[in-house]
Protein backbone atom coordinates (compact mmCIF):
# COMPACT_ATOMS: atom_id res chain seq x y z
CA UNK A 1 0.00 0.00 0.00
CA UNK A 2 1.37 3.38 -0.98
CA UNK A 3 2.07 5.89 1.79
CA UNK A 4 3.42 9.41 1.29
CA UNK A 5 4.23 11.58 4.29
CA UNK A 6 5.59 15.10 3.94
CA UNK A 7 6.80 16.90 7.08
CA UNK A 8 8.01 20.49 6.85
CA UNK A 9 6.29 22.02 9.90
CA UNK A 10 9.30 21.79 12.21
CA UNK A 11 11.59 23.65 9.80
CA UNK A 12 8.93 26.28 9.07
CA UNK A 13 8.39 26.95 12.77
CA UNK A 14 12.10 27.26 13.40
CA UNK A 15 12.46 29.66 10.48
CA UNK A 16 9.55 31.82 11.66
CA UNK A 17 10.81 31.87 15.25
CA UNK A 18 14.29 33.03 14.18
CA UNK A 19 13.14 35.53 11.51
CA UNK A 20 12.95 38.55 13.83
CA UNK A 21 16.22 37.57 15.52
CA UNK A 22 17.93 37.33 12.12
CA UNK A 23 16.63 40.76 11.07
CA UNK A 24 17.92 42.23 14.32
CA UNK A 25 21.31 40.59 13.85
CA UNK A 26 21.49 41.84 10.25
CA UNK A 27 20.84 45.40 11.46
CA UNK A 28 23.97 45.15 13.61
CA UNK A 29 26.22 44.43 10.64
CA UNK A 30 28.20 46.92 8.54
CA UNK A 31 27.42 45.91 4.95
CA UNK A 32 29.42 48.85 3.60
CA UNK A 33 32.52 47.12 4.97
CA UNK A 34 31.61 43.70 3.55
CA UNK A 35 34.35 41.56 1.98
CA UNK A 36 33.33 39.56 -1.12
CA UNK A 37 35.70 37.19 -2.93
CA UNK A 38 33.05 35.79 -5.31
CA UNK A 39 32.16 32.64 -3.37
CA UNK A 40 32.33 34.01 0.17
CA UNK A 41 30.80 37.18 1.61
CA UNK A 42 31.69 38.44 5.08
CA UNK A 43 30.00 41.35 6.88
CA UNK A 44 31.53 42.60 10.16
CA UNK A 45 29.70 44.04 13.12
CA UNK A 46 29.35 47.82 13.09
CA UNK A 47 32.10 49.71 14.92
CA UNK A 48 34.10 46.51 15.34
CA UNK A 49 37.79 46.01 14.55
CA UNK A 50 38.05 42.43 15.80
CA UNK A 51 37.02 40.67 12.59
CA UNK A 52 33.79 39.32 14.06
CA UNK A 53 30.60 39.06 12.01
CA UNK A 54 28.74 36.68 9.71
CA UNK A 55 29.63 34.87 6.52
CA UNK A 56 27.55 33.68 3.52
CA UNK A 57 28.36 31.50 0.54
CA UNK A 58 27.43 31.21 -3.13
CA UNK A 59 29.03 27.83 -3.90
CA UNK A 60 26.74 25.25 -2.30
CA UNK A 61 27.12 21.56 -3.13
CA UNK A 62 25.14 18.42 -2.28
CA UNK A 63 26.59 16.48 0.63
CA UNK A 64 25.23 12.94 1.09
CA UNK A 65 25.94 9.25 1.64
CA UNK A 66 23.94 6.79 -0.45
CA UNK A 67 22.10 4.11 1.52
CA UNK A 68 23.18 0.48 1.21
CA UNK A 69 21.62 -1.37 -1.76
CA UNK A 70 18.65 -3.68 -1.34
CA UNK A 71 15.04 -3.58 -2.53
CA UNK A 72 11.88 -3.35 -0.44
CA UNK A 73 13.31 -2.34 2.88
CA UNK A 74 13.07 1.06 4.52
CA UNK A 75 16.07 3.25 3.75
CA UNK A 76 17.04 6.78 4.69
CA UNK A 77 18.67 9.25 2.33
CA UNK A 78 19.86 12.58 3.76
CA UNK A 79 21.10 15.23 1.33
CA UNK A 80 22.44 18.55 2.60
CA UNK A 81 23.54 21.85 1.10
CA UNK A 82 27.15 22.49 2.18
CA UNK A 83 29.39 25.31 0.90
CA UNK A 84 32.21 24.06 -1.31
CA UNK A 85 34.33 26.80 0.26
CA UNK A 86 34.20 24.94 3.58
CA UNK A 87 34.86 21.53 2.06
CA UNK A 88 37.84 22.78 0.01
CA UNK A 89 39.43 24.83 2.79
CA UNK A 90 38.85 28.11 0.92
CA UNK A 91 36.98 29.56 3.92
CA UNK A 92 39.95 28.87 6.20
CA UNK A 93 42.29 30.65 3.79
CA UNK A 94 39.80 33.54 3.44
CA UNK A 95 39.47 34.10 7.19
CA UNK A 96 43.22 33.87 7.75
CA UNK A 97 43.94 36.35 4.96
CA UNK A 98 41.64 38.98 6.49
CA UNK A 99 42.03 37.95 10.14
CA UNK A 100 38.31 37.15 10.47
CA UNK A 101 36.37 35.19 13.08
CA UNK A 102 32.89 34.68 11.57
CA UNK A 103 29.93 33.22 13.41
CA UNK A 104 29.22 29.69 12.26
CA UNK A 105 25.48 30.31 11.98
CA UNK A 106 24.27 31.66 8.63
CA UNK A 107 21.70 34.44 8.96
CA UNK A 108 18.89 33.99 6.45
CA UNK A 109 15.90 36.13 5.38
CA UNK A 110 12.42 35.06 6.42
CA UNK A 111 11.42 34.08 2.86
CA UNK A 112 14.41 31.80 2.24
CA UNK A 113 13.67 28.50 0.48
CA UNK A 114 15.66 25.78 2.22
CA UNK A 115 16.01 22.22 0.91
CA UNK A 116 12.52 22.07 -0.55
CA UNK A 117 11.85 19.11 -2.90
CA UNK A 118 11.78 19.93 -6.60
CA UNK A 119 8.70 19.16 -8.65
CA UNK A 120 10.51 16.34 -10.48
CA UNK A 121 11.43 14.76 -7.14
CA UNK A 122 7.85 14.95 -5.89
CA UNK A 123 6.61 13.35 -9.10
CA UNK A 124 9.06 10.47 -8.59
CA UNK A 125 8.31 9.97 -4.90
CA UNK A 126 4.58 9.48 -5.44
CA UNK A 127 5.48 6.28 -7.32
CA UNK A 128 7.32 4.82 -4.31
CA UNK A 129 5.66 2.16 -2.17
CA UNK A 130 6.41 4.18 0.98
CA UNK A 131 8.05 7.56 1.48
CA UNK A 132 8.43 10.12 4.25
CA UNK A 133 10.02 13.49 3.51
CA UNK A 134 11.20 16.09 6.03
CA UNK A 135 13.66 18.98 6.27
CA UNK A 136 16.23 19.80 8.91
CA UNK A 137 17.49 23.30 9.74
CA UNK A 138 21.12 24.29 9.52
CA UNK A 139 23.87 22.79 11.61
CA UNK A 140 27.41 23.77 10.69
CA UNK A 141 28.60 23.24 8.00
CA UNK A 142 25.21 22.20 6.59
CA UNK A 143 22.81 25.00 5.64
CA UNK A 144 19.84 22.60 5.58
CA UNK A 145 19.07 18.96 4.87
CA UNK A 146 16.38 16.99 3.06
CA UNK A 147 15.63 13.63 4.67
CA UNK A 148 13.87 10.97 2.59
CA UNK A 149 12.82 7.64 4.14
CA UNK A 150 11.48 5.24 1.54
CA UNK A 151 10.76 1.76 0.27
CA UNK A 152 10.84 1.12 -3.48
CA UNK A 153 12.32 -0.92 -6.29
CA UNK A 154 15.94 -0.74 -7.38
CA UNK A 155 14.89 0.86 -10.68
CA UNK A 156 13.03 3.71 -8.98
CA UNK A 157 15.81 4.15 -6.45
CA UNK A 158 18.27 4.59 -9.31
CA UNK A 159 16.10 7.44 -10.64
CA UNK A 160 16.28 9.05 -7.22
CA UNK A 161 20.09 8.86 -7.25
CA UNK A 162 20.12 10.38 -10.75
CA UNK A 163 18.36 13.47 -9.38
CA UNK A 164 21.26 13.87 -6.98
CA UNK A 165 23.81 13.53 -9.79
CA UNK A 166 22.01 16.14 -11.90
CA UNK A 167 21.38 18.53 -8.95
CA UNK A 168 17.61 18.37 -9.40
CA UNK A 169 16.68 17.03 -5.97
CA UNK A 170 15.93 20.16 -3.96
CA UNK A 171 15.77 23.94 -4.03
CA UNK A 172 17.81 26.54 -2.17
CA UNK A 173 16.98 30.19 -2.72
CA UNK A 174 17.52 33.42 -0.81
CA UNK A 175 18.64 37.00 -1.34
CA UNK A 176 20.50 38.98 1.30
CA UNK A 177 20.12 42.76 1.47
CA UNK A 178 21.27 45.44 3.85
CA UNK A 179 18.21 46.28 6.05
CA UNK A 180 19.20 49.96 5.82
CA UNK A 181 19.17 49.84 2.01
CA UNK A 182 15.43 49.78 1.44
CA UNK A 183 13.71 49.66 -1.91
CA UNK A 184 12.11 52.86 -3.22
CA UNK A 185 8.34 52.46 -3.70
CA UNK A 186 6.68 53.54 -6.91
CA UNK A 187 4.61 56.72 -7.19
CA UNK A 188 1.26 56.49 -8.98
CA UNK A 189 -1.91 58.37 -9.80
CA UNK A 190 -4.41 55.84 -8.47
CA UNK A 191 -6.82 55.98 -11.41
CA UNK A 192 -8.90 52.89 -10.45
CA UNK A 193 -9.46 54.23 -6.92
CA UNK A 194 -10.28 57.71 -8.23
CA UNK A 195 -12.83 56.33 -10.68
CA UNK A 196 -14.39 54.32 -7.84
CA UNK A 197 -14.62 57.44 -5.64
CA UNK A 198 -16.25 59.42 -8.44
CA UNK A 199 -18.68 56.59 -9.14
CA UNK A 200 -19.68 56.44 -5.47
CA UNK A 201 -20.52 60.17 -5.66
CA UNK A 202 -22.58 59.51 -8.81
CA UNK A 203 -20.21 61.72 -10.80
CA UNK A 204 -19.42 58.78 -13.10
CA UNK A 205 -21.80 56.14 -14.43
CA UNK A 206 -21.23 53.05 -16.52
CA UNK A 207 -24.72 53.47 -17.96
CA UNK A 208 -25.34 56.25 -20.45
CA UNK A 209 -26.37 59.25 -18.28
CA UNK A 210 -30.14 59.80 -18.59
CA UNK A 211 -29.69 63.55 -18.39
CA UNK A 212 -27.48 63.41 -21.49
CA UNK A 213 -30.32 62.24 -23.68
CA UNK A 214 -30.73 59.11 -25.78
CA UNK A 215 -27.44 58.07 -27.41
CA UNK A 216 -29.24 56.37 -30.29
CA UNK A 217 -31.12 59.56 -31.23
CA UNK A 218 -28.12 61.87 -31.00
CA UNK A 219 -25.83 59.87 -33.26
CA UNK A 220 -23.33 59.03 -30.47
CA UNK A 221 -21.82 55.58 -30.28
CA UNK A 222 -22.14 54.22 -26.75
CA UNK A 223 -18.71 52.75 -25.89
CA UNK A 224 -17.95 50.67 -22.81
CA UNK A 225 -16.56 52.87 -20.07
CA UNK A 226 -17.41 55.44 -17.45
CA UNK A 227 -19.42 58.56 -18.35
CA UNK A 228 -19.83 61.85 -16.53
CA UNK A 229 -20.24 65.55 -17.03
CA UNK A 230 -16.99 67.46 -17.42
CA UNK A 231 -17.78 70.07 -14.75
CA UNK A 232 -18.52 67.40 -12.13
CA UNK A 233 -15.45 65.35 -13.00
CA UNK A 234 -13.15 68.38 -12.74
CA UNK A 235 -14.69 69.65 -9.51
CA UNK A 236 -14.91 66.42 -7.54
CA UNK A 237 -11.52 65.11 -8.72
CA UNK A 238 -9.98 68.27 -7.29
CA UNK A 239 -11.52 67.50 -3.88
CA UNK A 240 -9.93 64.03 -3.57
CA UNK A 241 -7.18 63.07 -1.13
CA UNK A 242 -3.75 64.05 -2.56
CA UNK A 243 -2.56 60.55 -1.62
CA UNK A 244 -4.54 59.29 -4.64
CA UNK A 245 -2.28 61.48 -6.78
CA UNK A 246 0.93 59.99 -5.38
CA UNK A 247 1.62 62.37 -2.50
CA UNK A 248 2.92 61.20 0.86
CA UNK A 249 1.73 62.69 4.14
CA UNK A 250 2.79 66.26 4.76
CA UNK A 251 2.71 69.51 2.78
CA UNK A 252 1.55 69.21 -0.85
CA UNK A 253 3.02 71.20 -3.73
CA UNK A 254 -0.12 72.76 -5.23
CA UNK A 255 1.42 73.30 -8.68
CA UNK A 256 2.54 69.65 -8.82
CA UNK A 257 -0.89 68.52 -7.62
CA UNK A 258 -2.47 70.54 -10.45
CA UNK A 259 -0.16 68.86 -12.98
CA UNK A 260 -1.21 65.42 -11.78
CA UNK A 261 -4.88 66.41 -11.67
CA UNK A 262 -4.49 67.53 -15.30
CA UNK A 263 -2.97 64.15 -16.22
CA UNK A 264 -6.01 62.48 -14.73
CA UNK A 265 -8.69 64.60 -16.41
CA UNK A 266 -6.89 64.30 -19.75
CA UNK A 267 -7.80 60.61 -19.67
CA UNK A 268 -11.45 61.57 -20.12
CA UNK A 269 -12.31 61.99 -23.80
CA UNK A 270 -15.15 64.09 -25.27
CA UNK A 271 -18.31 62.36 -26.46
CA UNK A 272 -19.42 63.24 -29.99
CA UNK A 273 -22.56 65.31 -29.99
CA UNK A 274 -22.39 65.98 -26.23
CA UNK A 275 -19.94 68.82 -25.51
CA UNK A 276 -20.52 68.64 -21.76
CA UNK A 277 -20.05 64.88 -21.51
CA UNK A 278 -16.75 63.02 -20.97
CA UNK A 279 -15.89 59.34 -21.07
CA UNK A 280 -12.98 57.19 -19.83
CA UNK A 281 -12.57 53.71 -21.28
CA UNK A 282 -12.64 50.62 -19.07
CA UNK A 283 -8.99 49.94 -19.89
CA UNK A 284 -7.75 53.39 -18.83
CA UNK A 285 -9.99 53.34 -15.76
CA UNK A 286 -8.31 50.13 -14.60
CA UNK A 287 -4.69 51.30 -14.99
CA UNK A 288 -2.66 53.45 -12.62
CA UNK A 289 -0.57 56.25 -14.09
CA UNK A 290 3.06 55.51 -13.24
CA UNK A 291 4.82 58.69 -12.14
CA UNK A 292 7.95 56.84 -11.04
CA UNK A 293 8.54 53.10 -11.11
CA UNK A 294 9.58 51.28 -7.93
CA UNK A 295 13.31 50.80 -7.50
CA UNK A 296 14.20 47.53 -5.72
CA UNK A 297 17.18 47.45 -3.41
CA UNK A 298 20.16 45.61 -4.84
CA UNK A 299 20.85 42.39 -2.92
CA UNK A 300 24.33 41.95 -1.53
CA UNK A 301 24.06 38.23 -2.22
CA UNK A 302 21.71 36.00 -4.22
CA UNK A 303 21.67 32.21 -4.10
CA UNK A 304 19.43 30.06 -6.26
CA UNK A 305 19.58 26.29 -6.88
Amino acid sequence: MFRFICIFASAALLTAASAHASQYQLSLLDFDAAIDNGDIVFAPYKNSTRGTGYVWFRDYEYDYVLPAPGAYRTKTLTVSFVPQSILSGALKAFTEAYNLRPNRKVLLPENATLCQPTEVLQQLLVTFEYVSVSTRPQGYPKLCSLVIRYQTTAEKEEKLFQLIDTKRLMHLKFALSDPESQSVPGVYIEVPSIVQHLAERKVLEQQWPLSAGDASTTGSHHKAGWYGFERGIHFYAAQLDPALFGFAEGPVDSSLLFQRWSQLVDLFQPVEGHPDLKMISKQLAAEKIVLSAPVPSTPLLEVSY
Side-chain angles (χ1 to χ4, degrees):
M1 179 181 177
F2 167 73
R3 293 179 61 198
F4 186 104
I5 303 172
C6 192
I7 306 171
F8 298 121
S10 58
L13 289 172
L14 287 170
T15 301
S18 63
H20 294 298
S22 295
Q23 281 300 108
Y24 172 71
Q25 291 291 339
L26 288 172
S27 71
L28 300 178
L29 301 177
D30 185 357
F31 287 95
D32 290 334
I35 303 171
D36 187 343
N37 79 343
D39 291 328
I40 306 170
V41 177
F42 172 81
Y45 282 110
K46 294 175 180 176
N47 305 316
S48 173
T49 59
R50 295 180 297 174
T52 54
Y54 283 85
V55 67
W56 295 267
F57 305 91
R58 294 188 178 93
D59 58 346
Y60 285 96
E61 297 284 348
Y62 285 179
D63 180 70
Y64 60 93
V65 176
L66 296 180
Y72 292 106
R73 64 180 182 81
T74 302
K75 303 179 184 180
T76 300
L77 172 64
T78 302
V79 185
S80 307
F81 272 118
V82 177
Q84 178 63 26
S85 294
I86 294 179
L87 300 177
S88 67
L91 175 63
K92 185 175 184 294
F94 177 80
T95 56
E96 290 177 351
Y98 293 99
N99 193 26
L100 306 176
R101 291 182 295 164
N103 192 306
R104 286 193 170 191
K105 179 183 178 182
V106 177
L107 294 180
L108 297 170
E110 184 177 1
N111 61 350
T113 298
L114 302 175
C115 291
Q116 294 300 298
T118 62
E119 183 176 351
V120 66
L121 172 61
Q122 295 181 61
Q123 291 173 351
L124 174 62
L125 293 182
V126 296
T127 68
F128 282 23
E129 285 66 27
Y130 166 81
V131 65
S132 171
V133 182
S134 61
T135 58
R136 291 178 185 168
Q138 62 177 294
Y140 188 87
K142 300 171 182 178
L143 184 65
C144 59
S145 301
L146 183 67
V147 182
I148 306 172
R149 299 186 74 247
Y150 64 92
Q151 292 178 5
T152 193
T153 64
E155 291 77 15
K156 293 178 183 177
E157 184 180 52
E158 181 59 29
K159 292 180 180 179
L160 176 63
F161 297 161
Q162 288 174 4
L163 293 182
I164 297 176
D165 293 338
T166 56
K167 301 293 188 295
R168 295 187 297 154
L169 190 82
M170 57 186 181
H171 291 302
L172 170 63
K173 186 174 184 178
F174 66 89
L176 179 72
S177 299
D178 182 352
E180 296 181 0
S181 177
Q182 300 296 326
S183 59
V184 179
V187 180
Y188 308 93
I189 298 177
E190 303 287 346
V191 178
S193 296
I194 291 173
V195 168
Q196 185 61 38
H197 278 286
L198 296 179
E200 289 173 357
R201 294 190 177 205
K202 308 300 182 185
V203 177
L204 294 178
E205 301 177 48
Q206 284 188 299
Q207 302 272 337
W208 182 266
L210 293 176
S211 55
D214 187 349
S216 62
T217 61
T218 58
S220 298
H221 180 61
H222 186 185
K223 298 179 181 179
W226 292 89
Y227 290 82
F229 289 96
E230 181 177 41
R231 182 178 298 179
I233 294 169
H234 287 193
F235 176 79
Y236 285 102
Q239 311 305 312
L240 294 173
D241 188 340
L244 294 172
F245 291 88
F247 289 93
E249 293 184 6
V252 174
D253 184 329
S254 57
S255 62
L256 184 56
L257 176 59
F258 176 75
Q259 290 178 22
R260 296 181 182 180
W261 172 88
S262 298
Q263 283 182 262
L264 171 74
V265 298
D266 284 347
L267 296 178
F268 291 83
Q269 299 301 308
V271 178
E272 183 181 356
H274 295 268
D276 295 333
L277 201 61
K278 293 280 188 173
M279 188 273 287
I280 182 172
S281 68
K282 279 188 175 182
Q283 180 180 351
L284 291 179
E287 297 175 355
K288 299 180 182 182
I289 296 177
V290 180
L291 299 172
S292 63
V295 180
S297 58
T298 301
L300 178 71
L301 171 78
E302 289 185 278
V303 172
S304 182
Y305 288 92

